[in-house]
């Protein structure tokens, strides 16, 4: 496969994409600076551990994406470069919508000789697995906080979990769904067994985020039992996917924090729930800064193009 752009142009475009990702991160920090600095919060070693978990969850997701892309392109994908491309895509979440994240991966993929359509398909499958894992982890426990009889929500929980598992474990279904975009995605089937493995694996990064949030919540009185630990972790995972998928907004202070504050107000009180949401946002932003530094210091490895056809 012949690359359409000279190598120097590819590296230049890649550098521009990285600069855009870092720039949007800086803009998000500056626009929320007053909120971030107004917190009465003394960081601790527990908070540092939460930060580490938030950071590790991203490259772990990157490893899973490299695995997924390799299945679709049917050849080995360079792990280090692919994980860095995923980190870059993650930072591009600060660009409104998902086009920045998708574009970053497509650019990296085409630079490495992977068809744009297959890279886009990997991004779509990744979104499906991410959504499924988040709902599987977050929805059942979070609905415990909804007023009313818990039994009223059992059918909804079962329906949503079965739906998500069905999509994840049976990608062939996409071929027959009467939606052209999904049918095109179905052309890049990754197999039922591999899809099941990936769906299970995608739960791991969600659990890291959940544990990190629970560690941050430990300074409040509302986390007193195993049930509280499960519920608080589930709320954070669910709030994250709602902010990204339902509203398609950049990951600044806003939707996710509002969802966290609303769902946990009954357990902590409104002021404490909002404070916890803000602290979690600070730690998540610090994690993104760490990831940005990793990306900037590993630029050469990001642009290291694997020989086409290498397996």
């Amino acid at each position: 496969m012949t690359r359409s752009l000279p190598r120097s142009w590819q590296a230049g475009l890649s550098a521009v994409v990285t600069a855009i990702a870092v720039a949007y991160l800086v803009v998000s920090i500056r626009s929320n600076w007053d909120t971030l600095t107004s917190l009465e919060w003394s960081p601790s070693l527990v908070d540092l551990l939460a930060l580490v978990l938030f950071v590790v969850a991203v490259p772990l997701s990157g490893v899973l994406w490299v695995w997924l892309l390799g299945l679709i392109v049917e050849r080995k994908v360079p792990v280090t470069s692919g994980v860095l491309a995923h980190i870059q895509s993650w930072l591009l979440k600060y660009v409104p919508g998902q086009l920045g994240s998708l574009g970053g991966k497509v650019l990296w993929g085409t630079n490495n000789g992977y068809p744009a359509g297959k890279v886009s398909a990997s991004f779509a499958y990744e979104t499906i697995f991410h959504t499924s894992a988040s709902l599987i982890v977050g929805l059942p426990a979070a609905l415990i906080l909804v007023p009313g009889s818990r039994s009223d929500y059992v059918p909804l929980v079962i329906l949503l979990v079965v739906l998500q598992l069905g999509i994840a474990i049976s990608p062939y279904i996409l071929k027959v769904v009467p939606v052209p975009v999904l049918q095109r995605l179905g052309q890049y089937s990754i197999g039922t067994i591999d899809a099941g493995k990936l769906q299970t694996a995608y739960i791991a990064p969600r659990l890291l985020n959940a544990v990190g949030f629970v560690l941050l919540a430990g300074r409040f009185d509302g986390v007193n039992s195993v049930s509280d630990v499960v519920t608080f972790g589930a709320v954070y995972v669910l709030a994250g996917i709602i902010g990204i998928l339902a509203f398609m907004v950049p990951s600044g202070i806003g939707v996710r924090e509002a969802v966290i504050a609303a769902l946990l107000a009954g357990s902590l009180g409104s002021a404490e729930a909002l404070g916890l949401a803000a602290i979690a946002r600070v730690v998540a932003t610090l994690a993104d800064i760490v990831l940005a530094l990793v990306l900037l210091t590993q630029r050469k490895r990001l642009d290291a193009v694997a020989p086409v056809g290498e397996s």
Side-chain angles (χ1 to χ4, degrees):
M1 181 175 178
T2 303
R3 298 186 180 90
S4 59
L5 292 175
R7 181 71 186 93
S8 59
W9 286 35
Q10 294 173 2
L13 285 174
S14 179
V16 168
V17 171
T18 298
I20 291 173
V22 175
Y24 267 95
L25 172 59
V26 172
V27 168
S28 177
I29 293 172
R30 290 188 63 181
S31 63
N32 295 297
W33 185 252
D34 290 341
T35 302
L36 297 178
T37 56
S38 64
L39 294 172
E40 295 182 359
W41 170 49
S42 298
S44 65
L45 290 177
V46 173
D47 299 325
L48 178 60
L49 178 57
L51 171 65
V52 171
L53 293 176
F54 284 175
V55 170
V56 171
V58 178
L60 176 56
S61 295
V63 171
L64 297 178
W65 176 68
V66 168
W67 174 14
L68 172 58
L69 179 61
L71 292 173
I72 293 176
V73 301
E74 298 181 330
R75 65 184 176 94
K76 185 177 180 180
V77 177
V79 177
T80 300
S81 182
V83 169
L84 289 171
H86 180 81
I87 291 173
Q88 178 177 261
S89 176
W90 171 261
L91 294 175
L92 284 167
K93 67 184 179 175
Y94 287 94
V95 180
Q98 294 291 296
L99 291 180
S101 296
L102 171 60
K105 285 187 172 177
V106 169
L107 175 62
W108 175 87
T110 54
N111 284 353
N112 279 269
Y114 308 129
K118 291 188 176 183
V119 178
S120 299
S122 74
F123 186 86
Y125 272 119
E126 177 186 36
T127 301
I128 290 173
F129 291 138
H130 183 181
T131 304
S132 301
S134 296
L135 291 179
I136 291 168
V137 171
L139 186 61
L143 282 178
I144 294 174
L145 300 174
V146 178
S149 172
R150 296 177 185 177
S151 61
D152 294 341
Y153 304 103
V154 171
L156 176 62
V157 172
I158 294 175
L159 174 63
L160 288 174
V161 171
V162 169
L163 176 63
Q164 294 300 321
L165 285 174
I167 292 175
I169 298 176
S170 303
Y172 297 109
I173 294 175
L174 297 173
K175 295 181 179 180
V176 299
V177 175
V179 179
V181 174
L182 294 180
Q183 289 179 338
R184 285 196 293 272
L185 177 60
Q187 296 174 3
Y188 304 109
S189 177
I190 59 177
T192 302
I193 294 177
D194 286 325
K197 292 178 180 178
L198 278 164
Q199 176 60 91
T200 302
Y202 264 94
I203 293 176
R206 309 286 75 78
L207 291 178
L208 289 181
N209 285 327
V211 172
F213 181 73
V214 170
L215 289 175
L216 296 176
R219 58 169 41 83
F220 295 93
D221 292 335
V223 185
N224 301 312
S225 66
V226 173
S227 176
D228 293 332
V229 168
V230 172
T231 301
F232 274 61
V235 165
Y236 186 74
V237 171
L238 185 63
I241 201 64
I242 289 175
I244 293 174
L245 297 180
F247 295 88
M248 293 296 181
V249 297
S251 188
I253 291 178
V255 175
R256 179 166 62 184
E257 286 66 39
V259 172
I260 292 172
L263 289 178
L264 295 182
S267 300
L268 296 178
S270 299
E272 289 78 5
L274 186 58
L276 173 58
I279 290 172
R281 178 66 266 172
V282 171
V283 176
T285 301
L286 290 174
D288 288 343
I289 292 173
V290 172
L291 291 168
L293 292 174
V294 170
L295 183 63
L296 290 172
T297 57
Q298 300 296 317
R299 282 285 319 155
K300 292 183 178 180
R301 303 185 75 175
L302 171 65
D303 292 331
V305 177
V308 177
E310 182 184 88
S311 59

